[in-house]
Amino acid sequence: QQPLIFNPLKLLAALPSTEASLTLIKRLVCGELRMDGGYVGHLLWLNIRLFRAGWFDYATFVAALSASHTFATVGASNVIDEQEPALAALIGNFTNRLLSEDITTHVAALPALLRRIPDISGGPELVVVAARLYVRSGRKTLAENWSDYNHKSERATIVTLANAAGPAAHAEEEAQLEQQLRQLPQQVLKQLIPFARHHRRLLARLAGLEQAIPLIELMIVMSQRDVPGRSWHDVFANSSDPTSGVLDVAAARAVLGQSDEKQISEILALFRPALAGMSNLALLLHAVMGWNREQVRKKIVKRNQPAVKAYGLLPLERGQDEVLERYLWLRQFAHESKQFGPQRQPNERAAVQAALANLAQVSGYGDATRLELAMESRLVEKVEASGHSWQLGDYRLELMLTDDGSELVVRRGEKTLASVPPAVRKHPDYAAVKETVAQFRTQASRCRTALETWMSNGETLTRNELLSLCHLPAARSMLARLVLLQEGEHGLQSGLFDAESQTLIGLDGQHYPLCESVRIAHAYHLIQANLLEGWQREIVHRRVVQPFKQVYREAYLLTPAEEETNTFSRRFAGHQVDSRIATRLFQSRNWQIPESHGDDVIKVVASGRLRAIFNFADIGNHFIAFDSNTTSYITFLPNDAANRDRRYDQLHHAVPLSEVPPLVFSEVMRDADLIVSIAGAGDGEHYFSAEVAAQRGTVITTLLAELGLPGVRVEGDYAHVQGKLASYRVHLGSGSIHLEPGNYLCIVPAPRTEKGDALYLPFADEGDRKMREILSKILLLLRDDKIKDESILRQIRRNQAA
């Protein structure tokens, strides 16, 4: 009976199978002899020895579970599967037998069994077993304390069994289950509702909570949507996911209207042990009904992020004026987040996005982008109605709305001043003026983002939405420079929008009356309609500067390699990227950066139906744990509760790339190209894709054709230029120049002035200033006989002499 302080197991395993040696082995396995904890794992081999000798029976299995960790690990299961498959099958049979009996008699064996089979499943009788164990435990609730937070606890056993109880196979089995449950106290049945996933409706009905069944189902859907499969995480906690905390307001109101505040609080209390952070869920649900208005207002002052999301859910009391107030407050909150660190900033921005999405539903705008532009339009109307001018002492200030945002004009008498004088800056009312001006200064940027988002998502706009956008000077100006598509009487029509006539002006100059729905054309749409080249030439011919890349946007189509891999793309795999630069780029493109080890970079796409997964090899505890990370594959998963938490087996559940909407696929790949090319951290030149090369080559050839300048031939990654003095090769990625047959030509671009230069590009060059540099060099080399710079001429002469 004394503890064994040395390891005799190898010796026992080597002894002949006599009755004495097998009896000793069995006593060790069944826990009759105490053993030092360090050797418990080795009992696995003794179980195999007993099985081979015919001594491993059901009683031994139960005793072994009760006494040790022998079968408690996945590793142990793998060893048994490999060394003795017949024993593995027998253990499976014994497991089913243990679960199908009244296992309250074997309660000591359950923790080890449940650790061994974490995804255990059984028949509906398990919910009855869980209830009986709960009664036997004498517990008042299943609330979880830190002392209970382990897999051996009685609570863990009850919860696991309730969760493992499968649905009834037929009506007779359901009736039998109901009869057994009716014999148990209602309080017991209530406590099992959060855990018995297949029997919640039955338990709620028997516990007198039938009216609350829709509320229970809503809470389950909400919690699974946020953190499926991770009950230890806070529901709707701080997160960089902009969809976390966004509710279906109409559905929530319909459900909550069937229960009173007291009953809702009771249901929330029941679910508290099942899901951590239930206070966040309670905050959102109570906000939908307006029961916690003051609590939300107090919390948002302290920058509580769940409260910010709830702020968008509160019912309106003062109509559209209140909507505008909340919108402006949320914008200010997002602006103030810049003072915080790189971890908090994206979380606060995501909280604002969630709040705007909630507010859009509450106010009837549908989505956050439409809400945003509607509120911007109201701001403009207020300015136009009041003229927005201020008299500050001897100075008069006027806010002038322009295509690019706003401009503050300061006058003293009849004289217009070039800048705001110190006397005005010190005036007590100037702060309010600055705030108003700041709101409009960023309006053009917000309009540009909204229009590009609609184009990238392939969304349609109604005629009324399009016309209401024209109230914004910035949006009106941008729409006039974008190609729109609509289904007309005789098929697809494309054109630039003319707000005055409310028509689309086509390639042939014809005016098409505006239809009831239109969309901003994506390059992919124009390719499919065989209109892309025509619009590229027309945009250049009219000298239109588009607010963002539209007709010259890079398009990414499925490659043969991607068709072969089927569910994943390795197009951008194997590149090292600077972690911090990549983080900023990802966040600017609405990707979610992983917050813990094992997570991937994700983006919700296809109107919330899919999640794009950008996998990286060997990420540390968080994305910026190392200076650089190595890109791996890109795949797409359905954006549902079953797939939201997948990591290791995601490729088995991925959507075939051929079934991903082509527009979605193209935009995700464009994001990946941006990350790899800009954040590249490897040695040598940064990555330069074929799609970007093709786009830049098209810009160059179209522009030069319009200017009537021959002598340039684009092939692959290079533009070949024939000058008067020499032949040149300009790389379309880096802009580097080589004199043919191969000497490097150094030309350093002059610093760009504040106003830029007169060189025309058919799109705003933000993010692609290299294109302007390359085009400037090509135009210079075409007229190399006019070059005056002696350092450049010296290099050309040296090449000629060679």
Side-chain angles (χ1 to χ4, degrees):
Q1 296 296 323
Q2 298 301 313
L4 298 172
I5 58 174
F6 59 95
N7 185 357
L9 301 186
K10 291 183 180 178
L11 176 61
L12 282 175
L15 290 176
S17 295
T18 64
E19 184 172 352
S21 64
L22 292 173
T23 299
L24 179 58
I25 289 172
K26 191 166 185 176
R27 292 181 69 192
L28 284 165
V29 167
C30 295
E32 294 180 25
L33 298 177
R34 289 193 295 140
M35 171 168 280
D36 180 77
Y39 300 115
V40 169
H42 296 287
L43 289 173
L44 172 67
W45 299 98
L46 298 186
N47 280 289
I48 293 174
R49 176 71 182 275
L50 288 178
F51 171 75
R52 289 173 176 171
W55 280 47
F56 190 86
D57 55 16
Y58 178 67
T60 303
F61 169 71
V62 174
L65 283 173
S66 304
S68 71
H69 294 200
T70 306
F71 305 113
T73 66
V74 176
S77 301
N78 292 341
V79 170
I80 293 175
D81 289 341
E82 182 180 338
Q83 297 294 324
E84 197 58 72
L87 175 59
L90 183 62
I91 290 173
N93 293 335
F94 287 166
T95 299
N96 293 333
R97 178 178 170 184
L98 176 59
L99 292 174
S100 61
E101 292 182 355
D102 181 3
I103 56 177
T104 54
T105 58
H106 302 301
V107 67
L110 282 175
L113 176 67
L114 299 179
R115 287 199 310 278
R116 175 178 173 269
I117 315 174
D119 297 322
I120 199 168
S121 60
E125 70 279 354
L126 290 186
V127 72
V128 179
V129 174
R132 289 175 181 169
L133 284 175
Y134 178 63
V135 172
R136 173 177 168 172
S137 72
R139 299 173 67 101
K140 292 184 179 180
T141 71
L142 285 174
E144 184 176 42
N145 299 316
W146 283 110
S147 59
D148 290 332
Y149 193 70
N150 64 74
H151 297 295
K152 296 186 199 178
S153 72
E154 191 174 46
R155 176 195 177 277
T157 300
I158 296 168
V159 167
T160 303
L161 288 175
N163 188 58
H170 44 75
E172 185 179 343
E173 190 173 39
E174 179 79 12
Q176 183 181 0
L177 177 64
E178 181 175 343
Q179 184 179 2
Q180 291 176 307
L181 291 173
R182 282 186 183 276
Q183 300 171 16
L184 296 163
Q186 283 192 338
Q187 182 59 27
V188 172
L189 303 182
K190 285 181 180 179
Q191 290 293 320
L192 293 176
I193 289 173
F195 307 103
R197 50 183 173 164
H198 294 295
H199 305 285
R200 288 192 182 106
R201 286 177 141 307
L202 175 60
L203 289 167
R205 180 164 56 83
L206 297 178
L209 296 174
E210 187 168 12
Q211 188 180 7
I213 289 175
L215 171 61
I216 291 169
E217 292 179 340
L218 173 67
M219 290 173 57
I220 293 299
V221 169
M222 288 171 62
S223 60
Q224 287 179 341
R225 184 170 178 267
D226 199 58
V227 281
R230 292 194 246 174
S231 61
W232 59 87
H233 278 221
D234 285 353
V235 179
F236 302 118
N238 299 348
S239 168
S240 61
D241 181 356
T243 66
S244 175
V246 178
L247 271 59
D248 183 333
V249 175
R253 282 178 178 167
V255 168
L256 293 169
Q258 301 175 36
S259 304
D260 57 27
E261 189 173 358
K262 182 179 178 181
Q263 188 175 64
I264 291 171
S265 297
E266 180 186 7
I267 299 300
L268 286 165
L270 286 177
F271 275 79
R272 189 163 284 112
L275 291 164
M278 284 301 292
S279 58
N280 295 334
L281 181 55
L283 189 74
L284 297 176
L285 290 177
H286 283 77
V288 170
M289 303 303 290
W291 292 333
N292 59 349
R293 194 177 296 271
E294 284 308 309
Q295 181 192 11
V296 170
R297 291 187 187 281
K298 289 178 182 178
K299 283 179 172 285
I300 61 175
V301 172
K302 298 178 180 178
R303 305 189 75 84
N304 178 277
Q305 293 174 34
V308 171
K309 301 169 187 178
Y311 183 53
L313 292 168
L314 293 171
L316 297 174
E317 294 180 321
R318 294 178 287 106
Q320 292 300 306
D321 287 341
E322 186 180 356
V323 178
L324 182 58
E325 275 180 25
R326 291 198 209 174
Y327 170 75
L328 293 176
W329 186 91
L330 289 167
R331 280 291 167 212
Q332 182 62 25
F333 183 92
H335 177 73
E336 291 170 356
S337 70
K338 294 178 180 179
Q339 65 185 297
F340 301 112
Q343 295 296 323
R344 183 169 173 177
Q345 278 189 43
N347 287 356
E348 288 204 344
R349 285 197 297 268
V352 169
Q353 288 179 270
L356 289 171
N358 286 331
L359 181 59
Q361 295 179 74
V362 170
S363 55
Y365 288 100
D367 66 66
T369 304
R370 285 173 170 81
L371 165 71
E372 183 175 357
L373 292 180
M375 292 303 101
E376 298 291 343
S377 181
R378 281 182 65 82
L379 284 173
V380 170
E381 289 170 5
K382 287 179 69 176
V383 170
E384 291 174 343
S386 65
H388 253 56
S389 60
W390 301 265
Q391 187 71 41
L392 303 185
D394 296 334
Y395 301 90
R396 184 162 190 81
L397 281 64
E398 293 182 18
L399 179 64
M400 309 292 290
L401 299 180
T402 67
D403 290 352
D404 298 322
S406 65
E407 181 182 351
L408 186 65
V409 178
V410 183
R411 293 188 177 92
R412 186 174 187 179
E414 297 298 320
K415 183 180 181 182
T416 300
L417 305 183
S419 61
V420 181
V424 172
R425 296 181 186 275
K426 294 175 183 178
H427 196 282
D429 294 337
Y430 182 62
V433 176
K434 279 180 60 180
E435 184 179 348
T436 303
V437 173
Q439 290 171 359
F440 287 98
R441 284 259 164 92
T442 57
Q443 192 178 82
S445 175
R446 291 197 288 270
C447 288
R448 184 183 299 108
T449 299
L451 295 174
E452 187 173 13
T453 298
W454 282 334
M455 180 198 70
S456 300
N457 293 341
E459 293 185 41
T460 57
L461 296 171
T462 66
R463 174 191 175 91
N464 288 338
E465 286 175 334
L466 191 66
L467 295 178
S468 67
L469 284 173
C470 293
H471 291 123
L472 300 175
R476 183 187 180 109
S477 172
M478 291 177 192
L479 284 169
R481 292 175 277 146
L482 293 171
V483 180
L484 305 186
L485 293 176
Q486 63 180 16
E487 286 295 335
E489 235 180 89
H490 303 292
L492 186 68
Q493 297 169 343
S494 65
L496 295 172
F497 178 57
D498 180 63
E500 294 297 329
S501 63
Q502 297 183 14
T503 60
L504 302 186
I505 305 175
L507 283 169
D508 55 0
Q510 183 176 347
H511 286 246
Y512 300 105
L514 195 62
C515 294
E516 286 305 310
S517 65
V518 296
R519 60 180 170 178
I520 301 170
H522 189 278
Y524 177 79
H525 296 140
L526 298 175
I527 290 171
Q528 295 301 106
N530 201 29
L531 292 169
L532 184 62
E533 289 185 15
W535 274 114
Q536 287 175 339
R537 289 193 298 269
E538 187 68 12
I539 290 295
V540 169
H541 178 68
R542 297 191 189 190
R543 288 296 190 274
V544 172
V545 178
Q546 296 195 297
F548 48 81
K549 288 183 182 177
Q550 185 195 26
V551 300
Y552 285 99
R553 196 176 192 85
E554 302 85 355
Y556 298 77
L557 309 179
L558 270 180
T559 64
E562 288 163 341
E563 290 174 351
E564 186 175 342
T565 56
N566 186 29
T567 58
F568 64 94
S569 167
R570 293 188 59 82
R571 187 187 300 211
F572 298 104
H575 297 279
Q576 277 197 330
V577 296
D578 183 289
S579 303
R580 296 185 182 278
I581 297 175
T583 295
R584 291 194 292 272
L585 290 170
F586 273 128
Q587 290 171 348
S588 71
R589 305 297 296 172
N590 294 322
W591 287 77
Q592 298 166 41
I593 299 296
E595 297 176 358
S596 60
H597 181 72
D599 289 342
D600 295 313
V601 183
I602 64 170
K603 183 177 185 178
V604 178
V605 294
S607 300
R609 298 191 307 275
L610 296 176
R611 287 161 76 86
I613 311 292
F614 200 155
N615 182 270
F616 282 78
D618 303 323
I619 292 181
N621 291 331
H622 49 86
F623 193 77
I624 59 174
F626 304 121
D627 291 339
S628 64
N629 287 306
T630 305
T631 58
S632 187
Y633 60 84
I634 295 173
T635 190
F636 296 83
L637 284 176
N639 188 33
D640 53 30
N643 289 289
R644 199 166 292 115
D645 196 37
R646 294 197 186 279
R647 296 178 186 176
Y648 306 110
D649 60 344
Q650 58 188 216
L651 291 180
H652 297 294
H653 302 270
V655 175
L657 298 180
S658 58
E659 296 178 17
V660 176
L663 204 63
V664 171
F665 178 84
S666 181
E667 287 298 306
V668 167
M669 292 298 159
R670 187 172 185 266
D671 286 353
D673 196 343
L674 176 76
I675 305 300
V676 169
S677 59
I678 294 181
D683 296 331
E685 290 188 355
H686 284 188
Y687 175 77
F688 180 61
S689 70
E691 288 79 7
V692 174
Q695 178 261 341
R696 289 182 178 173
T698 302
V699 172
I700 290 166
T701 53
T702 308
L703 278 171
L704 296 182
E706 176 67 23
L707 294 171
L709 295 175
V712 179
R713 184 182 80 258
V714 175
E715 289 182 359
D717 293 348
Y718 291 91
H720 298 268
V721 182
Q722 181 58 58
K724 299 290 191 302
L725 305 178
S727 299
Y728 311 90
R729 186 173 75 249
V730 183
H731 192 267
L732 298 178
S734 63
S736 61
I737 306 170
H738 283 80
L739 285 151
E740 299 290 6
N743 294 323
Y744 176 72
L745 175 61
C746 179
I747 298 180
V748 180
R752 193 176 176 189
T753 63
E754 220 176 272
K755 294 184 178 180
D757 51 46
L759 184 63
Y760 164 75
L761 279 181
F763 49 80
D765 65 353
E766 294 175 8
D768 194 10
R769 294 180 179 177
K770 183 62 71 174
M771 180 74 252
R772 184 179 293 272
E773 176 192 327
I774 292 168
L775 187 59
S776 298
K777 288 179 176 179
I778 289 173
L779 292 174
L780 177 71
L781 297 173
L782 278 172
R783 298 176 297 174
D784 56 0
D785 58 330
K786 307 293 184 184
I787 294 174
K788 304 297 184 184
D789 190 301
E790 189 57 36
S791 65
I792 297 175
L793 291 173
R794 192 181 304 116
Q795 295 176 73
I796 295 174
R797 293 190 198 105
R798 188 184 304 125
N799 183 72
Q800 289 174 325

